[in-house]
Structures are given as C-alpha cells and as structure tokens.
C-alpha cells in the first residue's frame, strides 16, 4: 500500500466514468491507483463529441466520488462537430479551468500530475503545475498531435493551428519528467521532435477484467440473423468508420473476391458511414451493420470467423498502434487480419493475428484461407492464447503497477 498523502491529479479532457457513458482508460487507472493507496483526483470535461450523456450543471466545477476517486467535472464550452472551431475553444476553456482549479487547491497540491492527450493543451497545465506546485509532470500521449492533423486531416505544417500545437507538443516533451505513450515506438518520434533523450515508457491500452467477466450482455438474436451468414464464413470489422482506417479497402476486397465465397460485415458508425454505404451499393457479399454497444460486442464477435482492421498509409502509425478494438477482438478469441504499414506488438506477441501490407489482395485471402482451414483444436488454442495474453499483459491492475513505478523514479 502507498501512503495516503501521495496525491495524484489526472488531467484528461475526454476521460469519462461509467455513470455517464463508460469508464475510460483514465478512470480505470484512477481506480487502481486508489486501491494502491493514492489520493487520486480526475479532472475531466463535460463537453465531448464522444458522449451525449455527460453532466450539465451551473458553475465551473462539479465534484463527486467514484470508486474512491475524486472526480471533478469542468463545465466548458459545448460542441458537437469534432471539426468545429468550438472544439478548440473547448480545449482552451478546459485548460483555463484546470489552472483555476489548481490555483484554488494549491494548499493540497499534487505530488504527481498526469496530463493526458487529447487535449494536447493539457501539456501546458502540466508544465505550469510542475513549475508552480513542484509536482512531478507525466505527459501521457495517446494520439500524436499535430502530426495526426497533418497526415489524417491534410493540414499544412505552416497552418497556424499546427504551428501552435507543435509548440505545445515540444513543450510537453521537454518539460515533462516522464513521457507515457500507448504506442511502442513513441520514443523515436519524441527524439526526432526535440533532439534529446527522454524517459519514454509504453503503457498500452488496458483491459478491465471486471468488464469482460461481469458487465457483458447478449445481443438480440435478430441482429445476428440479419447481418451474419449461416452459409459463408463471416469476416467482420467492428469499430469507428473514420478516414484513418481506410475501410474502403474491405469494400474493394469484397468486390473483387474472385473464387472466395465469404461474407464481409462492417459494424459501426462514424464520419465515413455515408460514403461507405454509397461505395458498397450493389456488392452482395458485404453488409454495413448498425453500431453495437461495447457491452454486447463480444456476443457479436463470437459469430465471426475472422476479424478485420485497417490503417491508412500514414507515417504516424509506424510508431505503434494498440487500438481498443484489438482487446475486444482478442478476448473474443478469433483471429485478426490487420492491413497497414504499422507496428502492432499486441498481435505479433500474442500470435492472435497478422499484419499484412496494403493493396495485397492475394496475401489477404491467403491469410483468410489459412485461418478458415484451422482445425477446431487450433481455433480453441488461438482463443486461449489471445485471452491469456490480454489478461497477463494488459490488465489495468498490472499496467497500474508499471505506471506507479514512474511516480518515484
């Protein structure tokens, strides 16, 4: 057990707790830190395009307790469109309130501040708290900004927003005591940006064992009957429909599936939904299915034969990927084929799937056939190996232990 006076502030605009939609990475870590004896405060925002049920209230702050965690909601500018200027204004408003909260509570100052992107502007708050409150500053990077804006949104490096966020990014890298990344090769990017060695530790997205053991629900039978084939193998993608994943690849693979009798199912929603629906018209072996609540997702994935994912050909992905959906995929115990020039230790180390190069239909269908030809015993073994890996390597309990070692190092 840690001493109760070891105080942690976890700052993350897009964090959430189950009461208002879902426990996020930050909430799971906070609960584990509390179990270890830390006094933990989670600072988060009530404005997000990811959740529609966040608390609305008057005044700048709303405080509550959640599994021993001190949760402080910050009442900031609302927005719905993630591409809106109001999103950036919401980021700025959030950081101003974070600093006000820090000023008001400076007598109970934190020993450790974790500033988690997005919003990357939290690197400013972390830097100020380090200087003014003498706190240890851990900069947690879950998305590489502004590189993602340049590669995925097409902004130029000379764009004022990119220039500003680039300055913030370098500030966070230089001023932080430790950098935590969810990607395995983040160190390469950090050293490229600031030309100096930094303590960079990979702590990937984790697994809540409790969620998989106690919070699962069954999908309605009619959902499976509507979208899944009983005569063909089902190749399934489940997740966000966004530009970064280039899901049009699966439409092309389905359209040109010569001599391969399979059924593609794309499950989800997102900004690319209408475009994908238009592209898939007239393709009989591909279906776009409605989004599934994550608690019911495992009951859907059990009906798949092979699970699919894809990443666009962007340099930002070479630093490593550990998408949450791979945890769901691996717990379902089904093999995964990922298309892209990416580094994905989860699949490679566990043996739960393969990564193949883009635009190689032959390699894709060879991998599909290899998995479909597996014996029943081999399929069971793959499922056991996949689940064992995520429980042994990715449980929040074990990752929190690794995280806590950074507090005193």
């Amino acid at each position: 057990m840690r001493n109760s006076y070891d105080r942690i502030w976890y700052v993350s605009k897009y964090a959430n707790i189950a009461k208002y939609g879902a426990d996020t990475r930050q909430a799971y870590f906070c609960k584990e830190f509390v179990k270890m004896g830390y006094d933990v405060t989670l600072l988060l925002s009530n404005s997000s395009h990811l959740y529609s049920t966040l608390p609305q209230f008057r005044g700048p702050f709303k405080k509550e307790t959640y599994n021993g965690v001190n949760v402080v909601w910050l009442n900031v500018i609302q927005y719905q469109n993630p591409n809106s200027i109001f999103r950036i204004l919401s980021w700025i408003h959030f950081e101003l309130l974070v600093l006000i909260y820090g000023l008001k509570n400076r007598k109970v100052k934190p020993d450790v501040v974790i500033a988690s992107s997005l919003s990357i502007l939290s690197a400013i708050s972390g830097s100020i708290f380090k200087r003014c409150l003498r706190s240890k500053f851990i900069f947690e990077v879950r998305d590489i900004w502004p590189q993602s804006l340049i590669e995925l949104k097409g902004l130029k490096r000379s764009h004022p927003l990119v220039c500003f966020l680039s300055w913030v990014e370098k500030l966070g890298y230089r001023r932080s005591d430790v950098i935590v990344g969810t990607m395995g090769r983040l160190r390469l990017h950090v050293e490229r940006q600031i030309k100096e060695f930094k303590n960079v530790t990979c702590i990937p997205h984790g697994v809540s064992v409790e969620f998989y053991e106690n919070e699962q629900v069954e999908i309605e039978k009619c959902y499976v009957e509507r979208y899944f084939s009983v005569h063909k193998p089902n190749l399934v993608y489940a997740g966000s429909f966004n530009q970064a994943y280039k899901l049009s690849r699966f439409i092309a693979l389905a359209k040109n599936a010569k001599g391969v009798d399979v059924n593609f199912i794309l499950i989800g929603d997102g900004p690319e939904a209408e475009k994908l629906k238009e592209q898939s018209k007239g393709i009989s072996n591909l279906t776009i299915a409605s989004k599934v609540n994550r608690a019911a997702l495992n009951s859907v994935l059990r009906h798949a034969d092979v699970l699919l994912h894809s990443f666009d050909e962007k340099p930002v992905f070479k630093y490593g990927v550990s998408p949450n959906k791979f945890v769901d995929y691996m717990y379902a115990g089904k093999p995964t084929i990922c298309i892209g020039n990416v580094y994905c230790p989860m699949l490679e180390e566990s043996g739960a799937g393969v990564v193949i190069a883009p635009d190689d239909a032959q390699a894709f269908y060879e991998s599909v056939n290899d998995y479909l030809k597996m014996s029943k015993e081999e399929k069971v073994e793959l499922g056991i190996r996949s689940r064992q890996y995520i429980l042994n390597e990715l449980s929040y309990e074990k990752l929190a232990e690794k995280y806590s070692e950074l507090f005193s190092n």
Side-chain angles (χ1 to χ4, degrees), residues 20 24 36 59 76 105 107 204 223 282 318 347 361 371 400:
Y20 301 103
T24 57
M36 297 163 69
V76 303
N105 293 274
K107 291 184 179 180
Y223 183 95
K318 72 181 180 182
L347 292 185
Y371 285 131

Side-chain angles (χ1 to χ4, degrees), residues 240-303:
S240 175
F241 293 174
N242 66 55
Q243 185 180 1
Y245 298 149
K246 202 170 183 179
L247 300 180
S248 57
R249 285 176 175 150
F250 297 124
I251 295 175
L253 286 165
K255 188 175 182 179
N256 298 305
K258 299 175 182 178
V260 184
D261 201 15
V262 293
N263 181 48
F264 286 80
I265 307 170
L266 306 184
I267 300 173
D269 199 2
E272 296 281 294
E274 292 305 316
K275 179 180 177 181
L276 293 172
K277 289 176 183 177
E278 184 65 28
Q279 290 176 345
S280 64
K281 284 182 179 179
I283 302 177
S284 61
N285 62 339
L286 185 141
T287 303
I288 294 182
S290 56
K291 183 179 179 180
V292 174
N293 183 286
R294 190 170 177 234
L297 183 58
N298 191 257
S299 68
V300 174
L301 299 182
R302 288 203 306 265
H303 296 277

Side-chain angles (χ1 to χ4, degrees), residues 12-16 42-48 51 54-55 57 72-79 90-91 94:
S12 182
K13 186 181 188 303
Y14 293 104
N16 198 5
L42 176 61
L43 297 165
L44 67 176
S45 160
N46 72 342
S47 174
S48 171
Y51 301 99
L54 299 180
F57 52 92
V72 181
W73 292 95
L74 278 58
N75 190 8
V76 303
I77 294 171
Q78 301 291 311
Y79 74 96
S90 183
W91 287 9
F94 176 76

Side-chain angles (χ1 to χ4, degrees), residues 74 76 192 212 368 374:
L74 278 58
V76 303
R192 180 181 178 186
Y212 286 107
V368 168
M374 291 173 65

Side-chain angles (χ1 to χ4, degrees), residues 128-146:
I128 293 174
F129 288 153
K130 176 182 179 178
R131 183 179 181 86
C132 298
L133 303 182
R134 305 298 181 186
S135 305
K136 184 166 189 174
F137 169 30
I138 298 178
F139 185 27
E140 182 177 79
V141 180
R142 295 180 295 123
D143 294 287
I144 299 178
W145 278 50

Side-chain angles (χ1 to χ4, degrees), residues 298 307 328-335 379 382-384 386-387:
N298 191 257
L307 298 173
D328 293 318
Y329 281 13
M330 291 169 67
Y331 195 85
K334 298 301 176 74
K379 292 177 181 178
L382 184 144
I384 293 173
S386 298
R387 294 188 191 96

Side-chain angles (χ1 to χ4, degrees), residues 317-337:
F317 295 132
K318 72 181 180 182
Y319 299 112
V321 295
S322 61
N324 283 321
K325 68 168 57 61
F326 280 177
V327 174
D328 293 318
Y329 281 13
M330 291 169 67
Y331 195 85
K334 298 301 176 74
T336 296
I337 299 176

